[in-house]
């Protein structure tokens, strides 16, 4: 099977680690993905989350770009309602000027934060309502066809940084189809609407200057190891970390306390988030990903490597590339 593979780097800050070590890990992960023929690495905008280091997405992209050579880098995504379209056009126009032909811009409309954080961001609670218009305005800045008289993005104008619409519902699918943009579905944590949303996107797609046919990227989790027992041990640690992050209320909990959370109801939520997870040896992972790509009707898979250690994620990159016979870079 030939399918494009990419990486969604969640930029985790493990217990006992620092943002500095997390950023160094992101560099190492991008370098390993580049070595093994992955198409792109994306980083997502999150705020006020102690376990995630990708809040300043464009800054992280810039740093990783300086330590890689060919792999595409981008946002998966920028939460556009948190920003003005001009600001994002300038940021990603600057990145494109620094790393020509390597920059992507995925756009989401979720806050990526809670209500207090929305206030701290000075975000209007209704800003998501204008997401479609903001995407069009941003596209105008990047293509050199500004929608605001007398205002250009410098850098950015004419950079044609490719846009992607991110989503986990019918809204994003229909918007991507109407604008003729690629669609990336967040099935690595919100799987419920994957198949109907992709079907709607493909059936309603209208060609555009950026894209002449539908293009779907689907998110999927991978826990790959040399042995199935090792993969299952890593997966158990991932489940505990998710339970602590979602329901631990900022507490430093033990593994036993995390298991109690999972047993008391967190487990169902975590299992739903991890519905689409390839787990095991290269053969097992490869078989799962091939089936998932067919189920998702995806042109590309973007993989969240779910291991609690950098070494585990780096080895999983190698094993996943081996599993799907990705060409060496």
């Amino acid at each position: 099977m030939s399918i494009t593979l990419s990486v969604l780097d969640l930029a985790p800050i493990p217990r006992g680690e620092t943002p500095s070590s997390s950023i160094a890990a992101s560099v190492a992960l991008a370098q390993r993905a580049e070595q093994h023929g992955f198409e792109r690495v994306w980083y997502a905008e999150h705020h006020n989350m102690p376990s995630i280091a990708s809040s300043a997405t464009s800054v992280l992209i810039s740093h990783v770009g300086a330590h890689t050579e060919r792999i595409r880098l981008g946002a998966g995504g920028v939460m556009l309602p948190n920003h003005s379209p001009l600001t994002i056009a300038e940021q990603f126009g600057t990145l494109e000027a620094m790393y020509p032909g390597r920059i992507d811009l995925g756009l989401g409309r979720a806050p990526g934060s809670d209500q207090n954080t929305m206030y701290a961001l000075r975000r209007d609670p209704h800003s998501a309502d204008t997401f479609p218009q903001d995407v069009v305005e941003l596209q105008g800045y990047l293509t050199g066809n500004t929608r605001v008289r007398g205002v250009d993005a410098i850098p950015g104008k004419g950079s044609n940084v490719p846009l992607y619409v991110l989503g986990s519902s019918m809204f994003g699918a229909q918007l991507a189809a109407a604008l003729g943009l690629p669609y990336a579905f967040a099935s690595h944590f919100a799987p419920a609407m994957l198949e109907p949303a992709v079907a709607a996107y493909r059936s309603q797609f209208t060609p555009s200057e950026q894209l002449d046919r539908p293009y779907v990227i689907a998110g999927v989790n991978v826990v790959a190891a040399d042995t199935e027992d090792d993969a299952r041990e890593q997966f158990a640690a991932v489940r505990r970390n998710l339970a602590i992050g979602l329901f631990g209320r900022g507490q430093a909990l033990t593994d036993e306390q995390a298991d109690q959370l999972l047993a008391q109801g967190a487990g169902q939520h975590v299992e739903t988030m991890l519905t689409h997870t390839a787990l095991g040896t290269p053969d097992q992972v490869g078989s799962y990903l091939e089936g998932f790509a067919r189920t998702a009707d995806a042109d590309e898979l973007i993989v969240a490597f779910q291991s609690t250690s950098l070494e585990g994620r780096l080895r999983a990159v190698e094993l996943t590339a081996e599993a799907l016979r990705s060409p060496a870079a």
Side-chain angles (χ1 to χ4, degrees):
M1 177 181 179
S2 176
I3 187 165
T4 301
L5 283 177
S6 294
V7 176
L8 178 63
D9 183 359
L10 302 175
I13 307 174
R15 283 179 284 180
E17 296 292 332
T18 66
S20 293
S21 62
S22 172
I23 291 167
S26 287
V27 171
L29 188 66
Q31 290 172 334
R32 190 66 55 90
E34 183 172 75
Q35 292 167 7
H36 287 275
F38 284 71
E39 177 72 11
R40 67 188 94 240
V41 182
W42 279 2
Y43 308 93
E45 177 187 345
H46 294 281
H47 299 282
N48 195 33
M49 299 186 71
S51 61
I52 296 179
S54 54
S55 56
T57 310
S58 60
V59 179
L60 181 57
I61 292 168
S62 178
H63 179 66
V64 176
H67 292 84
T68 51
E69 297 178 0
R70 298 176 301 279
I71 196 165
R72 297 190 66 88
L73 302 167
V78 162
M79 300 299 106
L80 190 55
N82 292 342
H83 314 273
S84 74
L86 177 61
T87 296
I88 297 304
E90 291 170 341
Q91 289 178 6
F92 280 79
T94 299
L95 288 169
E96 176 63 23
M98 295 168 68
Y99 308 111
R102 295 180 58 197
I103 302 301
D104 301 326
L105 178 48
L107 301 168
R109 66 170 182 147
S113 55
D114 56 31
Q115 287 190 337
N116 287 340
T117 308
M118 287 173 62
Y119 166 77
L121 289 165
R122 298 300 189 266
R123 170 176 164 157
D124 182 336
H126 302 291
S127 55
D129 296 344
T130 61
F131 180 67
Q133 296 92 323
D134 289 344
V135 172
V136 171
E137 182 181 334
L138 173 57
Q139 187 177 47
Y141 292 130
L142 293 172
T143 59
N145 300 300
T146 181
R147 302 281 178 144
V148 182
R149 180 181 296 180
V151 177
D152 286 313
I154 309 296
K157 180 180 181 179
S159 62
N160 293 301
V161 173
L163 301 183
Y164 298 73
V165 174
L166 279 56
S168 58
S169 69
M170 207 61 74
F171 177 89
Q174 292 171 336
L175 178 62
L179 297 179
L181 296 176
Y183 180 50
F185 192 93
S187 36
H188 63 291
F189 76 92
M193 293 293 292
L194 171 62
E195 293 176 61
V198 170
Y201 167 72
R202 289 195 179 278
S203 67
Q204 298 174 26
F205 181 83
T206 302
S208 67
E209 289 187 15
Q210 178 178 325
L211 194 65
D212 63 356
R213 65 185 65 184
Y215 193 85
V216 172
I217 302 175
V220 61
N221 302 291
V222 166
V223 182
D226 292 284
T227 68
E228 184 176 352
D229 286 346
D230 187 7
R232 292 194 177 280
E233 185 176 331
Q234 291 186 43
F235 188 57
V238 167
R239 293 179 73 251
R240 292 188 186 105
N241 274 7
L242 273 175
I244 292 170
L246 292 169
F247 302 101
R249 300 176 183 174
Q251 302 175 72
L253 303 182
T254 65
D255 285 352
E256 291 75 17
Q257 290 170 319
D259 287 337
Q260 288 177 0
L261 280 177
L262 288 166
Q264 292 168 358
Q268 184 175 355
H269 187 84
V270 168
E271 291 302 323
T272 298
M273 289 181 66
L274 297 174
T275 295
H276 296 304
T277 298
L279 172 68
T281 63
D283 285 346
Q284 292 170 314
V285 166
S287 177
Y288 183 93
L289 292 180
E290 289 179 0
F292 173 72
R294 288 191 291 269
T295 297
D297 196 10
D299 301 285
E300 177 177 337
L301 300 182
I302 190 160
V303 176
F305 288 103
Q306 297 282 6
S307 174
T308 57
S309 72
L310 173 61
E311 293 74 17
R313 294 195 298 278
L314 295 179
R315 182 59 177 151
V317 169
E318 298 171 349
L319 295 175
T320 302
E322 172 189 323
L324 291 185
R325 299 177 298 281
S326 293

